[in-house]
Amino acid sequence: MQPAPFSAEPGVSSIQLVQKWYNNTIVRVPCDPILDHKEITMSKTTLITKALLTAAIALAFMLSVGCAPKTPEPPSEVALTFWKHSHTPADDLSKIIIDEYMKANPNVKITLEIVPTNQYFVKLLSAVVAGDAPDIFDTDDINLPILIDKGLMSPVVPKGFGVSTQDEFLAQFVPGSLNTYKGPDGKVYGIPFEFNTWNLMINERLFREAGLDPSVDAPKTWEEAGEIGKKLAVVTNGRFDRQGFTWNYVHSGWTMTAFSGILYQLGGSILTDDEKGNKSNLYSPEAIKALSIMRDMKTAYGACDPAQNISTGADQNADFIQEKAAMWITGPWAVPTFKANPAVYDSYRVVPLPQASDAKRKTVIMTSWGWGVNKNIDAAKQLEAWKFVNYASQQGSRWLGQAGYILPRLGWTESPEAKAFKGLDVFMETMAYGRPRLQHPKNTQIRDELHKAIQEVLLSGADPAASLKPASDAIDRILAE
């Protein structure tokens, strides 16, 4: 039996193997001396040819088996749930961005659920308690500490943003812009997609109809807001056909935003030690004066009657959009909703928030919403969720143009959408003296007590001090629990 024609040996080349095989082959030689030479010559030539052909085939086979790339395993299927609060312009863009991401990542399925804003946190917190929270969700800044405390929030995974370290991740954002989304451990727990400074919207056309120049007469102090608001107001038989200026109180988030801005201007705070303490500071001269300024818009100047507001939780800027108010405090997110009334969209102007005439510090309130990821899902899903958030946060110019969202991620401020957004300069410049609202694990309870006190004053004409005292006592009990 002859040796195998070709067997691979470590450290031996294919040519050496052919030579070895040839040398070990037995050749039968005839007796005729003449034929002997021919047969041997032919046999050896044939053998060499066959050997080389065999070696080439074997070598090609080895290369095809050992060196050809393996077919990659298809990525595992990933199903993610995503909840967001309703804001129609952002809802539509969210669907588009989700579809784009799924087309680029066919193994990923993202199911979006849009929840009415005034029901959102009740639904989200109920899901947390039930252990049925979504994989991706949004949260505002004041509820972030609550969700961290309840164990829902995953720290950002830098790998999801294409980098290895938190420093590399932070370098992709405006310096300091993620501080609000840091937990007690210094880690970042969310990516803001909506950075708002709350400034004053004025209707230029209504100013001119009242004989006012919007470039000159836009109010700079709260006293001026009352005086100009009186001139802009239209009243028939004791009812406002149009309020010159009014406070939005559709829910406790709005009332805290308006009240806190004035309170901080006066040097006050809701809690002691400039919001760092563990006692209520609502029954203070600064807090009483802040609520008095809000009351005086109605009682001293006759610029408004908030009880006649038409805005709702579902339509939060209706008074300004329907020209029931000529001046209105809101954020950049509201601008796309003005398109519902082209006359208002063409006539709005953004001016800096009025300041207290005796302000201790220049202040506008900053609020934000951000994307978060459920830390209780497995690591692979967490990573994919952060990859989606990374993609969504890279669409800054689109979010601004369609939804009025200012994202703090670098790279979009010179886009055509940014240049076309009327008032963006004011929203951006006032960030220099912007301050976030109170962040506290018991924020919801604190905010509700404050909301009740403000409503009593704005709607029923109650005395500010008399309303703030029981609210302050209730907050102290909440903090002591």
Side-chain angles (χ1 to χ4, degrees), residues 32-84:
D32 189 318
I34 298 174
L35 292 176
D36 179 59
H37 173 72
K38 292 180 180 179
E39 287 250 342
I40 291 173
T41 303
M42 291 177 64
S43 297
K44 287 186 175 183
T45 301
T46 303
L47 285 169
I48 291 173
T49 302
K50 289 182 177 180
L52 288 172
L53 180 60
T54 304
I57 294 170
L59 183 59
F61 175 76
M62 290 178 66
L63 290 172
S64 68
V65 172
C67 300
K70 294 183 178 179
T71 303
E73 291 290 330
S76 301
E77 296 291 326
V78 180
L80 298 169
T81 53
F82 178 17
W83 288 6
K84 74 174 296 295

Side-chain angles (χ1 to χ4, degrees), residues 239-367:
R239 283 196 62 83
F240 284 88
D241 297 320
R242 181 175 70 226
Q243 301 182 76
F245 168 87
T246 192
W247 307 102
N248 195 344
Y249 65 93
V250 292
H251 57 67
S252 59
W254 278 86
T255 50
M256 174 178 267
T257 297
F259 174 80
S260 297
I262 304 170
L263 179 62
Y264 293 153
Q265 290 172 9
L266 295 169
S269 56
I270 295 171
L271 302 183
T272 53
D273 193 21
D274 203 24
E275 309 295 30
K276 301 180 186 68
N278 56 4
K279 292 284 188 180
S280 170
N281 199 36
L282 272 186
Y283 194 59
S284 65
E286 296 85 2
I288 294 169
K289 183 169 184 178
L291 191 48
S292 297
I293 288 173
M294 296 181 74
R295 175 202 60 190
D296 288 350
M297 288 293 170
K298 174 183 178 181
T299 59
Y301 298 104
C304 66
D305 180 4
Q308 297 182 34
N309 289 5
I310 63 171
S311 297
T312 65
D315 193 359
Q316 299 182 48
N317 293 281
D319 286 273
F320 190 74
I321 293 170
Q322 297 185 34
E323 296 191 336
K324 295 296 184 180
M327 296 189 292
W328 184 255
I329 298 171
T330 194
W333 61 272
V335 169
T337 68
F338 299 168
K339 295 176 182 179
N341 185 344
V344 169
Y345 187 73
D346 291 341
S347 299
Y348 85 87
R349 175 187 284 204
V350 187
V351 299
L353 186 75
Q355 302 290 303
S357 55
D358 56 347
K360 302 293 190 300
R361 51 193 175 193
K362 196 173 185 179
T363 307
V364 298
I365 287 297
M366 290 182 65
T367 65

Side-chain angles (χ1 to χ4, degrees), residues 125-153:
L125 290 173
S126 298
V128 173
V129 172
D132 194 28
D135 304 318
I136 309 170
F137 50 89
D138 61 20
T139 176
D140 63 9
D141 51 347
I142 57 178
N143 281 289
L144 181 75
I146 297 171
L147 298 179
I148 292 176
D149 187 61
K150 291 187 176 296
L152 179 64
M153 306 291 292

Side-chain angles (χ1 to χ4, degrees), residues 182-223:
K182 287 184 178 179
D185 56 4
K187 295 179 180 178
V188 178
Y189 283 85
I191 303 299
F193 58 81
E194 179 187 344
F195 240 50
N196 301 306
T197 50
W198 290 67
N199 287 287
L200 187 68
M201 298 285 180
I202 66 172
N203 187 315
E204 293 185 315
R205 179 173 51 79
L206 298 182
F207 262 64
R208 293 191 182 97
E209 289 177 0
L212 299 166
D213 183 346
S215 299
V216 176
D217 296 319
K220 298 175 178 59
T221 67
W222 293 114
E223 290 83 1

Side-chain angles (χ1 to χ4, degrees), residues 417-430:
E417 293 88 347
K419 293 176 180 177
F421 195 94
K422 189 168 59 173
L424 180 62
D425 56 338
V426 177
F427 288 122
M428 299 286 282
E429 288 165 8
T430 54

Side-chain angles (χ1 to χ4, degrees), residues 85 138-139 181 191-195 369-371 399 405-408:
H85 76 287
D138 61 20
T139 176
Y181 285 80
I191 303 299
F193 58 81
E194 179 187 344
F195 240 50
W369 283 76
W371 292 297
W399 286 114
Y405 287 171
I406 297 176
L407 274 73

